[in-house]
Amino acid sequence: MLFLCVHTLSAQNSVLRGIISDRQSGEALELANITLERVPDGELKGTTTDRNGLYEFNRLSSGEYIFTVRYVGYQPYTDTLEISWSTRNIVRNVEMRLTEESLDELTVSDSGPEDLRPGQTRISGEDLRRIPTPAGSGDLASYLQTQTGVVAAGDRGGQLFIRGGTPSENLILMDGLLIYQPFHIIGFFSVFPEEVISSADLYAGGFGPRFSSRTSSVMDVKLRNGNKYNRNWSVSVSPFVSDLFFESPLREGKSSVMVSARGSLIEKTSDLYLDEQQPLRFNSQLVKYSHSGDQGFNCSALVMRTYDRGKLDFDGEERFKWNNVVTGGRCAGVSEHMDVSFVDMNVGLSYFSNRVGGTGSDDRFAEVYKSHVEVNLIQHVGDWRLDYGFFSNFRRVEHDISERFLSIQSGGHSFLSSGGYLNANIPLGNTFSVDPGLVFTSYISRMKASVEPRLQFSWQPRGKVDEEIHAALGIYRQPLTGITDFRDAGSAFTAWMLMPDRERVMESRHALLGWRQPVGRFLKFSAEGYYKTLRNTPVAVWSAIAQFTTDLAYADGTVYGADIRMDFNRRYFYGGVGYGYSVTEYETAQDHFGMWFGEAVQSYHPPHDRRHQVSAQAGLEFGNFSLNANWIYGSGTPFTKPMGFDSFFRFEEHIPDVVDDYGSPRVILEKPYQARLPDFHRLDVSVEQAFNITLARIRLQAGAINVYNRENLFYYDVFTQRTIYQLPVMPYLSLKLESR
């Protein structure tokens, strides 16, 4: 019914639409400025492109128009259009050329004010380069840890907690394909080095109905396309990691390929300059094929694989292992034969497996498989914009973690889900807009159908997209839960499964209010407050007696806080400082604790509850020289403190000798999470100089992680009373060779 209504309304007017993209790679250019001037009366219409590079003009009358496209760093494009009264749909796609005034290299870092949604942070490749990373390239994992709403488990394990959510509540997409664990076992690295990223959006909360199946956050990463005209490459090496990047046209102007591969070296090199070997290893490979069609559609296909293995407690016996395999394809574009403005079709397969165990055995094992088909559509109806789509998912989970959780039986489950979403952008005047939407999901299993309403508001008092007050409300549900025992060092093992109690479903409700404001020409200020309620979060049952095997319980909770940020950027100098305040509190029934604490319902702060967080960056770029520094601080997170020790006897096999035998020792614990670990802080610096040689460019970087050698605690083992620390001061050199 919606489609028929849209078709009827749009057929009454001439419509001009198209995609603005980069000629070299075919990537969409967001916030390109398009003007349409009617000849001869000079009537002027203007618009900008969205993240898909899409623009559209509605209700055009017949006549002659001057069509102009402008984008910072690119040559302006101008053409004349003749629109007749009988023409309904006109498609004009434009490939923009880099300006001829650019010299060796052009980085477009400020194409204009950003049009951001509530809870959204836009990340570019340049942002990644400005965070010191012990490699030849910047990395998304290092950058995310500078965000005040993000809590990292440490420098190993690859787990991120965003505004009170657990790692399994984060939705991570790569060109629309789900990847379960993109972060490597060494916390500075992910499968996203700067060379492969076109842009990335972090939605820390309040995200719209386009994204579903997670209750905390979304990381939506767009990968670069390979260059359609030129062959480029780079190789780099550091004591931590080696990288390879390659892109090349396959059919000039039509198709290209991009290849990225990286592998860790720290396990081999750490003996040379550290007191102990770092038993950590990872590698990843990515291949992406892109094709520009003649009918206005661009298609791509990719395959990605990762492998991680290592000990998070270097003195322990347990080894963690995980791997991802992701493959799929996407076609998107516009056509004169369609009344919808934009079509995006996506299919994919995602597989994730992780294990943990001692030497020669795997004590715990879990894997998850997902396949999906998704169609996303954009339609303009007058001044309204409708985003809607349909999806179908098949999931299969397998797990064996009964050794840790008594009530969870080993085995597997499969289920099919399908549904759709609708989001409307409704402008109310020139400065205010409202975005109502919802997601509907139906499950072919014992789970109930889900309806999740979402609502966003934005007000631009002076009509400028970078000056905005925004708000968002929404309900979010998650069909699969990731079971993690946070008593593990680093908590790197996750078992994906249906909720063991089928009457429960994970749910969160988000409310946020934010303000973005430029301060003069060189400063940008942003502040956002948030409040979340949580329901049916799986947690481990805690006992006053430290024990290896436990059971599963469920907690409700609240999360509230605020993130404040100020950024500076003027010519050679840039910097920023952010402060985050957050409170995460769980409530669960008394019988989930194993002993009486005096009240029927108990509340506590989980181990990722970081009250205060500060992040500061500064740097300069002058020609081929750059200097960057990053300092982060986090207040101590909760842990369960031991209050004493005793011993006990077992009578199952024989009567013990209580005179000469002292029994088996055990740890007596206080009420869960009533103590806090020491504060965390670390300074990282890097300096880089580039040199041009005959056929290539050399980038030489020197830096250090944890410059003042702060002893930051990674994990406290209540069973053995051992403290496990994060990495000490780590100086490094990296060498990168790249084509010019």
Side-chain angles (χ1 to χ4, degrees):
M1 292 175 63
L2 173 66
F3 179 80
L4 292 175
C5 176
V6 166
H7 176 85
T8 302
L9 290 173
S10 63
Q12 298 172 1
N13 305 286
S14 293
V15 177
L16 171 65
R17 65 172 70 100
I19 302 293
I20 308 300
S21 60
D22 177 89
R23 178 177 179 270
Q24 295 287 324
S25 64
E27 294 174 14
L29 297 178
E30 184 177 7
L31 293 176
N33 293 303
I34 301 101
T35 58
L36 198 62
E37 182 181 359
R38 184 178 172 86
V39 179
D41 58 21
E43 180 186 356
L44 191 66
K45 295 176 178 283
T47 189
T48 59
T49 55
D50 65 7
R51 194 187 181 197
N52 302 300
L54 173 69
Y55 72 91
E56 180 164 319
F57 292 96
N58 293 306
R59 298 192 295 268
L60 296 177
S61 58
S62 60
E64 184 178 346
Y65 293 85
I66 298 176
F67 175 73
T68 305
V69 183
R70 291 183 176 88
Y71 194 82
V72 175
Y74 290 80
Q75 299 177 27
Y77 174 89
T78 301
D79 197 3
T80 301
L81 300 179
E82 186 72 35
I83 298 178
S84 68
W85 64 270
S86 60
T87 304
R88 190 173 69 194
N89 292 325
I90 305 168
V91 172
R92 179 59 57 96
N93 298 322
V94 178
E95 292 186 337
M96 301 289 286
R97 296 173 180 265
L98 289 172
T99 177
E100 296 176 354
E101 296 176 0
S102 62
L103 299 177
D104 296 329
E105 180 178 339
L106 176 68
T107 300
V108 179
S109 59
D110 188 7
S111 60
E114 291 183 311
D115 185 12
L116 302 177
R117 308 303 300 165
Q120 180 185 7
T121 300
R122 174 62 51 82
I123 306 166
S124 67
E126 182 184 33
D127 296 324
L128 306 188
R129 283 196 296 274
R130 292 178 173 180
I131 303 301
T133 303
S137 305
D139 194 279
L140 182 61
S142 294
Y143 179 85
L144 289 173
Q145 294 175 49
T146 69
Q147 301 302 292
T148 51
V150 178
V151 176
D155 57 16
R156 68 202 83 155
Q159 302 291 316
L160 297 180
F161 304 81
I162 299 178
R163 288 189 179 175
T166 62
S168 61
E169 296 171 51
N170 302 326
L171 177 65
I172 305 170
L173 300 174
M174 175 181 61
D175 276 5
L177 303 176
L178 175 66
I179 175 170
Y180 285 92
Q181 176 53 300
F183 305 110
H184 286 304
I185 197 167
I186 304 175
F188 307 111
F189 304 107
S190 69
V191 298
F192 302 123
E194 65 176 82
E195 290 88 354
V196 306
I197 289 183
S198 173
S199 66
D201 289 324
L202 170 63
Y203 298 88
F207 44 92
R210 169 71 183 272
F211 306 108
S212 60
S213 78
R214 293 294 187 275
T215 57
S216 180
S217 71
V218 175
M219 279 174 272
D220 187 16
V221 179
K222 286 185 64 177
L223 300 177
R224 285 185 52 195
N225 296 328
N227 196 303
K228 296 185 297 181
Y229 293 91
N230 299 311
R231 182 173 298 165
N232 300 304
W233 55 268
S234 69
V235 292
S236 66
V237 62
S238 79
F240 282 76
V241 66
S242 60
D243 284 273
L244 166 69
F245 173 79
F246 175 78
E247 61 178 350
S248 175
L250 297 178
R251 181 184 173 193
E252 187 172 291
K254 287 295 184 181
S255 60
S256 64
V257 65
M258 178 190 71
V259 179
S260 174
R262 61 188 346 195
S264 62
L265 300 174
I266 190 171
E267 192 171 54
K268 300 294 185 183
T269 61
S270 55
D271 281 339
L272 301 177
Y273 58 94
L274 291 178
D275 294 335
E276 60 180 344
Q277 185 191 39
Q278 308 287 311
L280 306 168
R281 176 182 296 181
F282 69 83
N283 60 72
S284 58
Q285 303 83 36
L286 168 68
V287 179
K288 180 179 179 181
Y289 166 81
S290 304
H291 175 77
S292 299
D294 296 326
Q295 302 301 318
F297 275 79
N298 294 325
C299 296
S300 63
L302 67 85
V303 59
M304 187 272 298
R305 171 196 170 274
T306 77
Y307 172 81
D308 289 78
R309 184 270 298 158
K311 291 182 179 181
L312 304 185
D313 176 1
F314 297 164
D315 296 327
E317 293 296 324
E318 284 193 329
R319 288 181 178 269
F320 291 83
K321 294 187 291 185
W322 66 82
N323 68 286
N324 295 274
V325 177
V326 179
T327 185
R330 176 178 183 259
C331 282
V334 297
S335 173
E336 294 180 355
H337 306 294
M338 300 185 302
D339 288 313
V340 293
S341 302
F342 184 79
V343 177
D344 178 359
M345 297 171 288
N346 194 301
V347 297
L349 306 173
S350 301
Y351 170 82
F352 174 68
S353 171
N354 63 154
R355 303 171 183 265
V356 58
T359 304
S361 66
D362 289 322
D363 298 328
R364 283 167 284 162
F365 161 80
E367 63 180 12
V368 56
Y369 165 88
K370 177 191 175 184
S371 61
H372 78 271
V373 177
E374 186 177 89
V375 178
N376 303 295
L377 305 168
I378 297 174
Q379 178 65 57
H380 290 84
V381 182
D383 293 331
W384 291 25
R385 168 173 163 148
L386 301 178
D387 291 68
Y388 55 101
F390 313 93
F391 54 84
S392 181
N393 303 307
F394 172 79
R395 297 178 177 93
R396 172 71 184 173
V397 293
E398 298 272 357
H399 54 81
D400 183 1
I401 59 172
S402 56
E403 179 195 42
R404 280 292 178 98
F405 295 95
L406 295 174
S407 62
I408 300 178
Q409 302 298 317
S410 61
H413 301 278
S414 301
F415 72 98
L416 182 69
S417 63
S418 59
Y421 72 91
L422 171 65
N423 186 83
N425 175 256
I426 305 172
L428 303 176
N430 296 324
T431 62
F432 189 83
S433 67
V434 58
D435 288 48
L438 61 85
V439 184
F440 172 78
T441 309
S442 176
Y443 301 95
I444 304 179
S445 68
R446 284 177 284 179
M447 290 184 292
K448 298 179 181 178
S450 173
V451 178
E452 304 164 43
R454 316 274 173 86
L455 187 62
Q456 296 181 344
F457 304 90
S458 64
W459 178 40
Q460 299 163 354
R462 298 197 295 173
K464 298 182 178 181
V465 297
D466 56 345
E467 298 180 8
E468 182 179 86
I469 297 173
H470 58 251
L473 301 168
I475 296 176
Y476 304 83
R477 298 192 179 101
Q478 186 164 328
L480 284 183
T481 183
I483 304 296
T484 298
D485 188 351
F486 288 110
R487 301 176 303 171
D488 285 330
S491 61
F493 175 81
T494 300
W496 289 91
M497 64 182 68
L498 294 171
M499 192 75 83
D501 184 347
R502 298 298 177 86
E503 298 301 316
R504 298 176 182 266
V505 62
M506 290 183 65
E507 180 182 289
S508 68
R509 302 188 178 200
H510 296 195
L512 62 84
L513 177 65
W515 175 34
R516 295 186 291 114
Q517 177 70 49
V519 182
R521 294 179 56 193
F522 309 111
L523 288 173
K524 292 182 180 180
F525 170 81
S526 64
E528 191 167 81
Y530 55 90
Y531 182 87
K532 298 181 183 180
T533 61
L534 312 175
R535 291 186 59 198
N536 300 320
T537 300
V539 296
V541 171
W542 282 81
S543 169
I545 307 300
Q547 52 190 6
F548 181 76
T549 303
T550 183
D551 212 337
L552 197 67
Y554 299 93
D556 297 335
T558 57
V559 182
Y560 60 89
D563 293 324
I564 302 172
R565 181 86 189 174
M566 181 74 80
D567 290 296
F568 170 81
N569 195 340
R570 182 179 183 184
R571 202 172 181 184
Y572 308 122
F573 301 95
Y574 49 83
V577 60
Y579 168 73
Y581 174 80
S582 180
V583 176
T584 303
E585 186 174 32
Y586 285 176
E587 287 187 349
T588 191
Q590 165 62 52
D591 55 5
H592 293 161
F593 283 91
M595 71 172 294
W596 177 251
F597 286 113
E599 296 180 0
V601 176
Q602 295 293 322
S603 62
Y604 64 95
H605 300 287
H608 56 278
D609 174 50
R610 173 159 283 166
R611 190 72 71 247
H612 305 281
Q613 192 155 327
V614 178
S615 173
Q617 297 80 40
L620 66 90
E621 291 178 350
F622 184 79
N624 291 326
F625 174 83
S626 65
L627 172 66
N628 292 288
N630 176 52
W631 183 76
I632 50 178
Y633 163 85
S635 58
T637 52
F639 79 105
T640 302
K641 186 168 64 175
M643 60 185 298
F645 304 87
D646 71 355
S647 60
F648 68 99
F649 295 94
R650 292 187 179 276
F651 288 80
E652 290 90 344
E653 298 180 359
H654 58 81
I655 298 175
D657 182 354
V658 297
V659 176
D660 297 325
D661 188 355
Y662 290 96
S664 301
R666 63 183 179 184
V667 182
I668 309 298
L669 302 176
E670 286 190 354
K671 185 178 177 180
Y673 300 118
Q674 297 303 297
R676 288 193 176 260
L677 298 172
D679 293 352
F680 163 87
H681 50 90
R682 190 184 76 207
L683 173 66
D684 305 332
V685 298
S686 68
V687 57
E688 181 182 284
Q689 179 67 54
F691 307 92
N692 292 327
I693 57 177
T694 304
L695 298 176
R697 170 175 293 185
I698 298 175
R699 294 184 181 271
L700 183 63
Q701 182 184 140
I705 301 298
N706 194 8
V707 171
Y708 50 79
N709 201 26
R710 163 75 176 181
E711 286 191 337
N712 290 307
L713 196 63
F714 174 66
Y715 178 70
Y716 175 69
D717 191 334
V718 298
F719 291 92
T720 63
Q721 304 298 294
R722 289 189 304 113
T723 53
I724 304 168
Y725 289 99
Q726 300 188 38
L727 293 175
V729 57
M730 294 279 291
Y732 65 89
L733 286 172
S734 70
L735 177 65
K736 185 174 185 178
L737 187 65
E738 59 187 5
S739 58
R740 295 180 58 183

